[in-house]
Amino acid sequence: MKIGLIGAGNMATALARGWGDAVLVHDPDRSRAEALVEELGGEVVDSNAELAERANVLLLAHKPAGLERVAREIGGGAKGVISILGGVPLAALRAAYGTTPVVRMIPSVPVEVRQGVTCHARDAEAAAELEAQAVALFERVGLVVDLDEAQFEVATGLMSCAPAYVALVAEAQVDAGVRAGMPADVAGQLVAASMAGSAALLQARGMDTLAVRRMVTSPGGITARGLAALEHSGVRAAFDDAMQAVVAR
Ligand SMILES: NC(=O)c1ccc[n+]([C@@H]2O[C@H](COP(=O)([O-])OP(=O)(O)OC[C@H]3O[C@@H](n4cnc5c(N)ncnc54)[C@H](OP(=O)(O)O)[C@@H]3O)[C@@H](O)[C@H]2O)c1
């Protein structure tokens, strides 16, 4: 299946690196598309209309606000469209693309290292072949979860924003370690490995967060004191505020 990338920005680049295949790509910033081709092989295409002619399926990886403009540029020539546009529902995709089959997905940037999470919008009207191809494509770069579209905003706040949240928490932990006398590179190694290992342990324990916390928390011990300090500083409220900010979009 030949995929045409519409846009060569952050998400298109992460996906293309995860897939590792030669790319067929258009971006108004030609240098960005050229950088991707230089890295992975393939070809920069001069317009979205030409991309639609040459690709079996188009991946919409431009900004959400470009929906109508890009659909006009393609002019009905696409065979199938996979959209990763944040906050753009299937109804809006259908309104823009008419009878062209569409699939809606939301990935996360760890697709670049094939450990992404991608939410796939369940769709009774979907073209079965395109849907199966899209799911198989994203399964190559991580986990794919089927969801009702109504849950997409909450899902976005949990998985698509997650790499930024995790990076912020990791940075805060490293800074705290540096303040307490640890070199930043060693602190970073300890924090990243601990995050990966803790995530694996939580999954192995069926996301029983309390059981994992109890494993580390002796009565009156240092972890109990550390956890109390985090609660006191409002860690739960901070994540709840972040989710409310996302779903209020
Ligand atoms: N980043 C994430 O973690 C993430 C996660 C899930 C979904 N998404 C979705 O993925 C999409 C891209 O996000 P991003 O973070 O990769 O944004 P980005 O880095 O800004 O990339 C978008 C690219 O599309 C280009 N573009 C604009 N108009 C175009 C056109 N008519 N034809 C072809 N390319 C065009 C942009 O060029 P200019 O800059 O010159 O306009 C830019 O290079 C968004 O819809 C976003 O909601 C992103």
Side-chain angles (χ1 to χ4, degrees):
M1 182 172 60
K2 207 181 278 179
I3 305 156
L5 300 179
I6 301 196
N10 292 307
M11 199 65 223
T13 299
L15 281 165
R17 284 179 175 154
W19 289 323
D21 300 328
V23 294
L24 198 58
V25 56
H26 172 73
D27 194 300
D29 183 340
R30 197 177 169 89
S31 67
R32 242 177 252 161
E34 281 171 351
L36 206 51
V37 167
E38 195 169 318
E39 184 180 334
L40 295 166
E43 204 182 328
V44 177
V45 173
D46 287 332
S47 71
N48 284 327
E50 186 188 340
L51 199 61
E53 250 171 55
R54 294 181 51 188
N56 304 109
V57 62
L58 294 176
L59 182 84
L60 305 186
H62 53 81
K63 288 289 188 199
L67 174 69
E68 270 94 21
R69 187 160 56 85
V70 170
R72 270 198 307 278
E73 287 169 15
I74 290 166
K79 297 162 200 79
V81 167
I82 301 172
S83 168
I84 61 165
L85 308 180
V88 176
L90 281 163
L93 291 168
R94 291 214 171 86
Y97 281 92
T99 54
T100 304
V102 292
V103 173
R104 182 179 180 203
M105 319 286 270
I106 292 291
S108 63
V109 288
V111 290
E112 180 167 315
V113 290
R114 300 193 183 132
Q115 293 189 57
V117 182
T118 300
C119 292
H120 161 241
R122 282 192 203 115
D123 177 14
E125 296 170 43
E129 194 187 352
L130 178 68
E131 193 168 46
Q133 284 173 333
V135 168
L137 188 64
F138 281 81
E139 279 178 344
R140 284 173 54 194
V141 289
L143 176 73
V144 175
V145 178
D146 287 333
L147 279 183
D148 283 338
E149 200 182 21
Q151 292 181 313
F152 253 49
E153 291 303 298
V154 179
T156 299
L158 292 173
M159 46 63 67
S160 188
C161 303
Y165 297 172
V166 170
L168 179 69
V169 171
E171 193 182 301
Q173 275 201 287
V174 169
D175 283 352
V178 169
R179 228 168 6 253
M182 177 72 76
D185 57 340
V186 183
Q189 203 179 11
L190 298 182
V191 166
S194 299
M195 282 180 163
S198 305
L201 183 63
L202 278 169
Q203 282 182 315
R205 296 291 171 100
M207 281 307 289
D208 188 344
T209 53
L210 183 59
V212 170
R213 287 208 286 131
R214 289 274 189 263
M215 284 168 74
V216 196
T217 315
S218 340
I222 51 169
T223 307
R225 276 184 263 159
L227 283 169
L230 286 172
E231 297 275 11
H232 183 73
S233 298
V235 69
R236 283 177 198 269
F239 279 106
D240 195 47
D241 285 352
M243 176 57 77
Q244 294 310 316
V246 170
V247 297
R249 168 167 70 169

